[in-house]
Amino acid sequence: MREIIIAGGGIGGLSAALALARKGRRVRVLEKAAEFGEIGYGIQMGPNVAKMLDRLGILEAIEAHAFFPDALIFADALDNRELTRIAVGKFFRQRYGYRYFVIHRRDLHGEILKACRTHGEIALETSRGLASFEQRGGAVLVRCDDGAEYEGAALIGADGLWSPTRKAVIGDGAPRVAGHFVYRGVVPMEQITDRSRADAMTIWGGPDLHLVQYRLRGGTVMNNVATVVSRRFRRRETDAGTPDELEEIFARTDPHVRDILRYVSRERNWVLHDRDPVTNWTKGCVTLLGDAAHPTLQYLAQGAQMAIEDAVVLAEKVAAAGENLEAAFLSYQSERMNRSARVVLSSRFFGEVLHADSGARELRNEMLRRRSPEDFAEFDWLYKGI
Ligand SMILES: Cc1cc2nc3c(=O)[nH]c(=O)nc-3n(C[C@H](O)[C@H](O)[C@H](O)COP(=O)(O)OP(=O)(O)OC[C@H]3O[C@@H](n4cnc5c(N)ncnc54)[C@H](O)[C@@H]3O)c2cc1C
């Protein structure tokens, strides 16, 4: 059987390589960057993805790097009061079968990469950016930026938010700029002065802002993420999302919340994007996966988790369809379409809830105060997984 080519060696692309290889397919990953890698910040992983990592045989290795928060706390950023919590202990585990964990992105990506490296069916190449491809009689010819060419049975575009594969398959232009700006920082625990919620994953929501804090690497460091919905962006001004706007938007928050801003670096920020869900991310023997297919805002913390779920489903469809990869890709797309669309649209909604002000904030707080920490039903669609 001819190999399957994957463009992109992020969390999604490498998970797809591993999932396909475990089903007996030969795979080649073409990564544009000079090295495989991830940025140095945290990422949240729910029980839906733990189940997938278990199926890929790497859960134990990944969990060895993880931190397991005792609760997911939602607090109001204006007064630092806890509004609700999700108790992710015993009952959560019993209901969903797996634990909720947080992990350094490099540890997660590194373990998936390590599993790929030890698999004889996976060829890994760096400095190979996909430039174009052509489908020819049941094969796909991929051309790279440096002129290298590869022929495979199929191509999976796991090449992220700005996916050139998507450009060729769907051609729907640039992703939507949300106008939300993210600042991050990971600092040693010794620097953290208030540790009152240090064993939890805490999220503070406020008008046009939110802040997330959780520990990583055996609890030795704290991951801090501050997000603002830029008012300057809404007014179409050019200096949107700059550090002074971050301070300006956080000025109304509780002193404890403002204090946490010390831990986020002003060196760089990330501008958030997503896309409206589509139904046509497959064309013949070429399909998309992860952010290339359904980029989402991070408000449900599910973008990478959806990419890993995609990888597992894709490999199962390929194994079931044998050489009919077109049928496998269509079946994969149809199985993943609604679930990933629900994540994209719910993330937008959850962002509105997080960033509420005035009457909407009052309503949110009242509703959140009424729920009990073990009211899990609303999360079943997500955390029970696939
Ligand atoms: C602030 C923030 C917080 C987040 N928090 C969470 C969270 O808690 N939980 C969660 O699940 N998700 C979270 N996400 C989302 C998550 O980071 C992404 O959804 C996930 O990383 C997407 O993985 P991917 O492999 O699809 O794409 P990427 O990680 O973007 O990987 C794409 C890869 O393709 C390569 N590439 C690009 N172009 C080419 C080319 N032409 N040829 C070959 N290779 C190419 C890139 O170099 C890269 O290695 C968050 C996102 C943000 C912005």
Side-chain angles (χ1 to χ4, degrees):
M1 274 191 289
R2 256 195 314 227
E3 67 184 17
I4 294 178
I5 298 173
I6 299 176
I11 291 168
L14 292 183
S15 299
L18 184 61
L20 286 163
R22 284 170 62 89
K23 298 284 182 194
R25 292 296 309 217
R26 270 193 310 122
V27 188
R28 181 173 301 274
V29 180
L30 304 175
E31 166 56 49
K32 183 177 183 165
E35 279 177 35
F36 288 99
E38 252 291 351
I39 53 171
Y41 303 98
I43 193 160
Q44 303 184 50
M45 300 268 106
N48 58 307
V49 83
K51 192 201 273 184
M52 299 298 102
L53 297 170
D54 200 11
R55 274 198 221 165
L56 293 175
I58 49 175
L59 180 63
E60 206 182 323
I62 286 171
E63 282 192 343
H65 302 277
F67 181 78
F68 298 94
D70 57 8
L72 313 182
I73 295 177
F74 188 96
D76 189 319
L78 297 190
D79 56 18
N80 192 29
R81 271 201 215 134
E82 178 173 327
L83 296 168
T84 191
R85 61 172 56 209
I86 304 169
V88 290
K90 188 171 152 210
F91 295 120
F92 185 90
R93 272 207 309 279
Q94 274 169 2
R95 190 175 184 100
Y96 299 120
Y98 291 89
R99 290 184 284 181
Y100 196 102
F101 66 90
V102 289
I103 187 166
H104 199 288
R105 282 169 179 264
R106 288 187 183 141
D107 296 340
L108 173 67
H109 184 269
E111 284 300 336
I112 308 173
L113 180 61
K114 201 198 290 175
C116 286
R117 283 200 167 122
T118 52
H119 211 295
E121 298 297 312
I122 302 174
L124 297 166
E125 300 200 29
T126 49
S127 303
R128 290 277 191 272
L130 173 143
S132 64
F133 64 86
E134 218 178 289
Q135 301 202 54
R136 270 194 209 149
V140 184
L141 180 71
V142 175
R143 275 186 211 92
C144 294
D145 298 330
D146 63 353
E149 291 189 345
Y150 299 89
E151 192 179 277
L155 169 67
I156 299 165
D159 40 5
L161 184 65
W162 301 99
S163 166
T165 313
R166 181 181 181 115
K167 196 171 171 193
V169 170
I170 311 179
D172 56 352
R176 186 186 74 101
V177 190
H180 304 189
F181 293 79
V182 177
Y183 287 83
R184 312 194 230 215
V186 172
V187 298
M189 271 315 281
E190 301 82 69
Q191 286 184 26
I192 304 292
T193 43
D194 181 347
R195 302 187 188 183
S196 52
R197 295 184 179 125
D199 290 333
M201 188 294 295
T202 307
I203 178 162
W204 290 263
D208 287 337
L209 65 92
H210 78 273
L211 183 69
V212 180
Q213 215 185 26
Y214 54 81
R215 290 160 83 173
L216 299 172
R217 295 196 156 152
T220 56
V221 294
M222 184 67 99
N223 184 63
N224 307 275
V225 185
T227 301
V228 288
V229 179
S230 170
R231 294 164 187 163
R232 296 177 189 172
F233 176 83
R234 282 203 292 265
R235 296 194 296 261
R236 297 172 193 275
E237 292 170 16
T238 47
D239 55 348
T242 51
D244 64 309
E245 194 182 18
L246 173 77
E247 309 288 348
E248 198 178 294
I249 293 180
F250 269 81
R252 269 176 77 194
T253 60
D254 184 86
H256 169 93
V257 172
R258 277 205 309 279
D259 188 52
I260 297 174
L261 284 189
R262 282 192 290 139
Y263 309 129
V264 301
S265 162
R266 309 298 197 268
E267 296 285 301
R268 71 163 288 194
N269 64 32
W270 285 261
V271 186
L272 299 184
H273 297 78
D274 70 359
R275 286 184 185 271
D276 288 332
V278 295
T279 57
N280 56 338
W281 74 61
T282 297
K283 203 181 210 175
C285 287
V286 181
T287 195
L288 306 175
L289 179 146
D291 276 8
H294 40 66
T296 178
L297 300 179
Q298 88 270 26
Y299 304 138
L300 285 184
Q302 281 284 336
Q305 305 193 54
M306 286 300 112
I308 297 169
E309 284 189 5
D310 283 352
V312 171
V313 173
L314 180 65
E316 280 166 6
K317 299 297 182 189
V318 166
E323 271 312 278
N324 192 349
L325 292 174
E326 286 196 37
F329 285 3
L330 284 174
S331 171
Y332 148 76
Q333 175 184 277
S334 102
E335 188 161 326
R336 296 300 298 153
M337 220 162 55
N338 287 349
R339 183 165 167 80
S340 56
R342 189 166 178 184
V343 165
V344 170
L345 300 178
S346 306
S347 296
R348 284 183 190 169
F349 175 71
F350 193 55
E352 300 280 314
V353 172
L354 264 176
H355 304 142
D357 197 0
S358 189
R361 171 181 167 240
E362 288 300 325
L363 171 65
R364 173 197 71 196
N365 290 3
E366 163 69 14
M367 290 178 77
L368 289 179
R369 273 193 220 103
R370 268 199 249 135
R371 68 172 292 284
S372 102
E374 274 145 18
D375 249 347
F376 297 133
E378 65 206 283
F379 307 112
D380 281 354
W381 72 273
L382 187 58
Y383 292 150
K384 281 198 170 160
I386 51 170

